[in-house]
Amino acid sequence: MNDDAIIQTTCPYCGVGCGISAQVNGNTRQVNIRGDKSHPANFGRLCSKGSALGETVELNGRLLQPKVYGRDAGWAEALDLVAGAFTSTIEKYGPDAVAIYGSGQLLTEDYYVANKLMKGFIGSANMDTNSRLCMSSSVAGHKRAFGSDTVPGCYDDYEQADMIILIGSNAAWCHPVSFQRIRAAKEANPALKIVVIDPRRTASCDIADLHLPVASGSDAIVFNGLLHFLSQQNALNKTYIDAHTEGFSEALNSAENSSGSIEQVAAQCLVNIDDLRCFYQWFAAREKVMSLYSQGVNQSSSGTDKVNAIINCHLATGRIGKPGMGPFSLTGQPNAMGGREVGGLSHQLAAHMDFSSADDIDRVARFWGTHAIARKQGFAAVELFDAIHDGKVKAVWIMGTNPAVSMPNADKVIRALQHCDFVAVSDCIANTDTTALAHVLLPALGWSEKDGTVTNSERCISRQRALFSPAGMAKPDWWIITQVARRMGFEQAFQYRNAGEIFREHAALSGFENNAGHGLRDFDISAFAKISQHEYDLLQPVQWPVNQAYPLGRARLFDDGQFFTPSGKAQFIAIEPRPPVNPPDKNYPLILNTGRLRDQWHTMTRTAIAAKLNQHKPEPSVEVHPLDAQYYALLPGSLAVINSQWGSMIARVQITGSQKQGSLFVPMHWTEQYASQGRMGALVNPVVDLVSKQPESKHTPVRIKAYQPVWQGFILSRRELAVTGSEYWVKIKGEQVYRYELAGETLPEDWRSYVRKNLCRTAGENSQWQEYQDLAKGNYRAALIFNNQLETVVFISAGNHLPERNWLTGLFIRPQLEPQERMALLTGMPPLGVPDAGIIVCACFNVGEKTIRTAIKEKGLKTHQEVGQCLKAGTNCGSCVPEIKALISS
Ligand SMILES: Nc1nc2c(c(=O)[nH]1)N[C@H]1C(S)=C(S)[C@@H](COP(=O)(O)OP(=O)(O)OC[C@H]3O[C@@H](n4cnc5c(=O)[nH]c(N)nc54)[C@H](O)[C@@H]3O)O[C@H]1N2
Ligand SMILES: Nc1nc2c(c(=O)[nH]1)N[C@H]1C(S)=C(S)[C@@H](COP(=O)(O)OP(=O)(O)OC[C@H]3O[C@@H](n4cnc5c(=O)[nH]c(N)nc54)[C@H](O)[C@@H]3O)O[C@H]1N2
Ligand code: SF4
Ligand SMILES: [Mo]
């Protein structure tokens, strides 16, 4: 690799799919990350997570060598073992006794070969992926309406729309670059209406003209009500309905019968009737309407119906396939779309073909040259882990996902894997809650070393390119899979030498018997079937289809009113709204909602490495409405235990009027690696949607009560510690410091020896501590200094009388402590006249809350733009703008 080369690649996090321009020094593993100005997904912008990628490429914590039953091994041994275990299980119990569980974070090429191995050659469709937990309701809704899994629109529509509805999407945090683009579109065109439909008032409401805090799970009622309203107002497009759709009258009947009057809809959805009417009127009056939706829609036992209820309203008004309008499923993972293209879900086969068609099965079998092809769909995620639990599936290979955390009823998933005969896990990180359960660990290349393609929400295929040479012995996922395939006796079909060869085959299959590019199937990238390795290396972002008819790709589909159903017409689906399967009851009276925070990615295996990203929300939290907090006697900043029928967790209470009364919100991110009791998946009910089999992760009945430890405390330490003797702990990596938040259930007799023995064991016995102990009050404070640099501080309190952590944390980056700082250490507060930045608000420029408050007050700043000019805060990714605005108004 050249010194300081610039490499174009793609962000490995969300489905916005931002292009990155990486300046690398290949010898040092240093990289300077910038947004790629030429990439159509972001035009140079990045969010906090993308900007911090350079901090996540370190080798510390990486899985660098294969491991077999806990010991280091060579590749040959590990691959032989996986192939042997799969082969012998198949011989004894048949192909349905093995399974692969993949991920929308695999590259298309990795995914393609995993799917081909399982469905084409092992002959079982037991290949499912975490996309089942993510996009499968959208996939099913698209298939029902369009006959194909097609996202019709594109990002360019944002600027052209008259109204954008965010349904169950917190795009401000989860699709930040798209959200900032919508914000800019609104600033340029104040007439653009933004409506947010979400039980919570989220950061996305910052740009909203209207927020509908609907009851959990009630979206199908809202959109059935809208269809009814449009009909009453004569706001339907009859010409479009007649020419391009089928099933309208059944759908309208259902909508009328189920929704009733607007008053009834508002009452069922628990929203203000005037707000609801306003939304309906806006929708009726505007032609260019986009409905952007995400997990608040998909992750529901009626997720597929919610999707179709939304699509119905677009079909009834003919608002699809044209600029500025359409239903738009925001995909979550960087390659959620690529996974759908290769057929990663267990009911799909490949290249947008599936098991419902004998012709598809025959076609794919001929293309792959196999007689062993699976003929029926396999287990979907929840069924799959149940089958492992019940011993029906005896060998499983997990790739690029962390089901011990992210699956519903996750404690059962752990038990299932503990008792499974054979578990192989491919990951790039050594210690995760799932790698802990593996018999064989296969080290995969990480983002900065991988090569291949991903597809974003708007069907745009982009290259991920390697920045560095492989870490340790790590290998590309496609390589690992093909090596196992060859060892299982499928040499001929898995002879790839690089990702480009796989991409060409994938492209060829998409065009195979697909009517010379004029489309039996929507997904067609046959224009790439013969590209050279050089062309693959230079591939620029392009939106599929890319074929004879559309050699340069296609921004929008369905502009011609032609769909991929047998009749060529789009299908209305009659929707009978259903409430969530498990309603709250007297034992579990509250609804648990789960989702994402701004600066963490899923199970934190990568984002928690970047100190910058851990400052915004450092601990597992639970958002509680003020009246619920009062009722359950929960104090702000205290700890609470949340229980469901399936499991429990402990989280820090955050009281907020943004939360709907009767419902709690917890972030999905914490694992056993970072918190003792923060793994929320343990609580989540394993109920699934009947059509899509996607779990209802946004609605679990729970109860909450105060957790009352006898002491609480924190430790800041330059070195990572092995903390025992604290029932509750959270580990937070900071800049040159590890922070541990602690709470315990027994009061030790002597704090000094307890701390040394259980909490800070790495500090030498003879080290010189500054100490303060007040046994009567149960307070203990200590600090350890080496070479006039802070090494450790410990603060323990029998109540929760602890100072804020920011000032002390900031001292760890100081080359030398000032005398007055040393003196102030055990007070935990900065010496007089020294400013304290407060909690970090802007992660991009490290600007704290107190700094912003002071500037607002002293300089009389009135807008977030003025704060930006003064402190830079909020001027990069913009995702902290809502918080800056809240500080200004307070
Ligand atoms: N920062 C960050 N960004 C991410 C990710 C991440 O881990 N971190 N993950 C990526 C992935 S894979 C995905 S899938 C996306 C997810 O992106 P989003 O779907 O936007 O994120 P979530 O926070 O899971 O859920 C969105 C909202 O749904 C709301 N909701 C809950 N129940 C209902 C309901 O019944 N109706 C409605 N209308 N809303 C409801 C929740 O209150 C929540 O605010 O984010 C992607 N982007
Ligand atoms: N309750 C609740 N549960 C949820 C959700 C929710 O909102 N609420 N959201 C669901 C959704 S939408 C999703 S997408 C899932 C996400 O859940 P997961 O997929 O379980 O979460 P990740 O942390 O993204 O796991 C990815 C794993 O792959 C590893 N990895 C990263 N890159 C590579 C690579 O190139 N190759 C290999 N082999 N490994 C790699 C990472 O280190 C990590 O261990 O969670 C789902 N679960
Ligand atoms: S919005 Fe952020 S996380 Fe998503 S692709 Fe862009 S930089 Fe990555
Ligand atoms: Mo997702």
Side-chain angles (χ1 to χ4, degrees), residues 14-15 49 134-135 167-171 173-176 197-200 202 214-219 294-297 299 306 331-333 593-602 665 668-669 698:
C14 86
K49 294 180 296 303
C134 178
M135 307 313 311
I167 313 150
S169 154
N170 184 10
W173 284 6
C174 298
H175 298 94
I197 303 182
D198 191 312
R200 301 188 300 147
T202 61
V214 293
S216 170
S218 66
D219 305 76
S294 190
Q295 299 314 334
V297 170
Q299 287 172 343
K306 288 181 177 187
T331 53
Q333 298 179 89
N593 178 7
T594 59
R596 291 156 172 80
L597 297 177
R598 193 187 78 191
D599 290 350
Q600 292 296 348
W601 178 260
H602 294 165
F665 179 83
M668 65 171 292
H669 306 295
K698 298 278 187 261

Side-chain angles (χ1 to χ4, degrees), residues 46 234 343 416 693 877:
L46 293 176
N234 282 327
K693 301 188 181 171
C877 76

Side-chain angles (χ1 to χ4, degrees), residues 614-615 617-620 637 639 650 652 670 674-677 707 709 711-717 721 723 725-733 738-744 759 793 795-796 800 802-806 808-809:
N614 297 326
Q615 311 311 313
K617 303 273 177 185
E619 259 186 290
L639 292 168
I650 297 181
R652 188 75 64 187
W670 273 269
Y674 290 99
S676 57
Q677 303 184 60
Y707 175 66
W711 62 269
Q712 299 200 44
F714 67 88
I715 297 179
L716 305 175
S717 166
L721 301 172
V723 173
S726 170
E727 277 76 12
Y728 174 85
W729 60 262
V730 177
K731 176 169 93 177
I732 305 141
K733 187 180 171 195
Y738 288 88
R739 167 175 159 198
Y740 296 85
E741 290 294 328
L742 309 169
L759 305 177
V793 286
F795 275 72
I796 308 264
N800 190 11
L802 297 163
E804 279 185 23
R805 310 346 176 210
N806 307 293
L808 286 168
T809 310

Side-chain angles (χ1 to χ4, degrees), residues 159-235:
E159 283 87 18
Q160 312 210 29
D162 302 323
M163 167 147 141
I164 295 179
I165 317 166
L166 289 165
I167 313 150
S169 154
N170 184 10
W173 284 6
C174 298
H175 298 94
V177 165
S178 284
F179 183 80
Q180 294 307 329
R181 186 163 169 182
I182 297 170
R183 179 196 291 281
K186 179 151 175 81
E187 279 166 8
N189 168 24
L192 167 63
K193 292 280 184 225
I194 312 276
V195 178
V196 173
I197 303 182
D198 191 312
R200 301 188 300 147
R201 169 168 283 275
T202 61
S204 301
C205 295
D206 187 48
I207 59 166
D209 299 284
L210 182 64
H211 169 221
L212 294 177
V214 293
S216 170
S218 66
D219 305 76
I221 306 176
V222 174
F223 283 87
N224 261 5
L226 175 59
L227 188 62
H228 184 190
F229 179 86
L230 295 170
S231 156
Q232 285 175 327
Q233 301 290 310
N234 282 327

